[in-house]
Amino acid sequence: MPRTVLTAAQRREYKVRDFKGWVVKQMKLNNKRQADVAKALGISAGRVSQMLKIPHGKEDKVNPDPFSYGQVLALCEFFGVDGEERQQLLTL
Protein backbone atom coordinates (compact mmCIF):
# COMPACT_ATOMS: atom_id res chain seq x y z
CA MET A 1 0.00 0.00 0.00
CA PRO A 2 1.46 3.40 -0.92
CA ARG A 3 2.38 5.76 1.84
CA THR A 4 0.89 9.19 1.92
CA VAL A 5 2.59 12.28 3.18
CA LEU A 6 0.63 14.06 5.88
CA THR A 7 0.82 17.77 6.37
CA ALA A 8 1.63 19.19 9.79
CA ALA A 9 -2.03 20.17 10.19
CA GLN A 10 -3.18 16.63 9.41
CA ARG A 11 -0.70 15.13 11.89
CA ARG A 12 -1.90 17.57 14.54
CA GLU A 13 -5.53 16.68 13.84
CA TYR A 14 -4.79 12.97 14.23
CA LYS A 15 -2.99 13.60 17.53
CA VAL A 16 -5.91 15.66 18.85
CA ARG A 17 -8.35 12.88 17.92
CA ASP A 18 -6.11 10.32 19.61
CA PHE A 19 -5.97 12.43 22.77
CA LYS A 20 -9.74 12.77 22.86
CA GLY A 21 -10.02 9.00 22.52
CA TRP A 22 -7.47 8.57 25.31
CA VAL A 23 -9.55 10.77 27.63
CA VAL A 24 -12.72 8.78 26.88
CA LYS A 25 -10.84 5.50 27.43
CA GLN A 26 -9.48 6.72 30.78
CA MET A 27 -12.97 7.80 31.82
CA LYS A 28 -14.26 4.30 31.14
CA LEU A 29 -11.33 2.56 32.84
CA ASN A 30 -11.65 4.73 35.95
CA ASN A 31 -15.47 4.79 36.05
CA LYS A 32 -15.55 8.57 35.69
CA ARG A 33 -18.19 10.69 34.03
CA GLN A 34 -17.88 13.91 32.09
CA ALA A 35 -19.11 15.71 35.20
CA ASP A 36 -16.13 14.31 37.15
CA VAL A 37 -13.70 15.44 34.47
CA ALA A 38 -15.39 18.83 34.36
CA LYS A 39 -14.99 19.24 38.11
CA ALA A 40 -11.30 18.30 37.89
CA LEU A 41 -10.77 20.88 35.12
CA GLY A 42 -12.98 23.55 36.69
CA ILE A 43 -15.31 23.82 33.70
CA SER A 44 -18.87 22.74 32.91
CA ALA A 45 -19.81 19.24 31.82
CA GLY A 46 -21.24 20.69 28.61
CA ARG A 47 -17.86 22.21 27.79
CA VAL A 48 -16.17 18.84 28.36
CA SER A 49 -18.66 17.32 25.94
CA GLN A 50 -17.78 19.94 23.32
CA MET A 51 -14.05 19.37 23.85
CA LEU A 52 -14.39 15.60 23.44
CA LYS A 53 -16.61 15.78 20.36
CA ILE A 54 -15.06 14.18 17.31
CA PRO A 55 -16.35 15.77 14.11
CA HIS A 56 -17.96 13.69 11.40
CA GLY A 57 -17.40 14.50 7.77
CA LYS A 58 -15.08 16.87 5.98
CA GLU A 59 -17.09 20.00 6.69
CA ASP A 60 -16.57 19.63 10.44
CA LYS A 61 -13.15 20.76 11.60
CA VAL A 62 -11.33 19.55 14.70
CA ASN A 63 -10.63 22.29 17.20
CA PRO A 64 -6.84 22.52 16.99
CA ASP A 65 -6.30 22.97 20.73
CA PRO A 66 -9.37 21.96 22.72
CA PHE A 67 -7.22 21.23 25.80
CA SER A 68 -4.65 23.61 27.22
CA TYR A 69 -1.32 22.40 28.58
CA GLY A 70 -2.57 22.93 32.12
CA GLN A 71 -5.71 20.91 31.42
CA VAL A 72 -3.64 18.03 30.05
CA LEU A 73 -1.55 18.13 33.24
CA ALA A 74 -4.71 18.17 35.36
CA LEU A 75 -6.11 15.19 33.45
CA CYS A 76 -2.88 13.26 33.95
CA GLU A 77 -3.11 13.85 37.69
CA PHE A 78 -6.84 13.10 37.74
CA PHE A 79 -6.38 9.76 35.99
CA GLY A 80 -3.15 8.92 37.85
CA VAL A 81 -0.91 8.91 34.79
CA ASP A 82 2.79 9.32 35.32
CA GLY A 83 6.09 8.55 33.69
CA GLU A 84 6.48 7.92 30.00
CA GLU A 85 2.78 8.15 29.14
CA ARG A 86 2.54 11.59 30.76
CA GLN A 87 5.57 12.79 28.81
CA GLN A 88 4.06 11.51 25.57
CA LEU A 89 0.75 13.28 26.24
CA LEU A 90 2.46 16.57 27.09
CA THR A 91 4.45 16.63 23.85
CA LEU A 92 1.51 16.68 21.44
Side-chain angles (χ1 to χ4, degrees):
M1 178 178 263
R3 299 177 102 186
T4 60
V5 178
L6 298 175
T7 65
Q10 289 172 322
R11 282 193 305 271
R12 178 77 178 153
E13 186 175 325
Y14 286 133
K15 288 181 180 183
V16 168
R17 286 179 189 229
D18 286 345
F19 181 72
K20 290 177 179 186
W22 177 85
V23 172
V24 172
K25 177 182 173 185
Q26 291 300 315
M27 287 171 49
K28 289 179 182 178
L29 290 173
N30 293 295
N31 291 328
K32 302 295 183 184
R33 299 172 299 140
Q34 287 183 357
D36 300 325
V37 173
K39 187 175 181 182
L41 295 178
I43 58 178
S44 70
R47 179 67 184 128
V48 171
S49 178
Q50 290 174 346
M51 293 167 79
L52 293 176
K53 180 182 177 196
I54 296 178
H56 301 288
K58 291 184 178 184
E59 64 278 350
D60 290 339
K61 297 269 183 181
V62 172
N63 183 353
D65 286 318
F67 294 92
S68 69
Y69 186 81
Q71 289 173 331
V72 174
L73 272 175
L75 287 172
C76 287
E77 290 177 19
F78 180 67
F79 292 126
V81 176
D82 45 313
E84 189 176 316
E85 187 175 13
R86 178 185 288 226
Q87 186 65 31
Q88 182 182 10
L89 292 170
L90 293 174
T91 56
L92 288 177

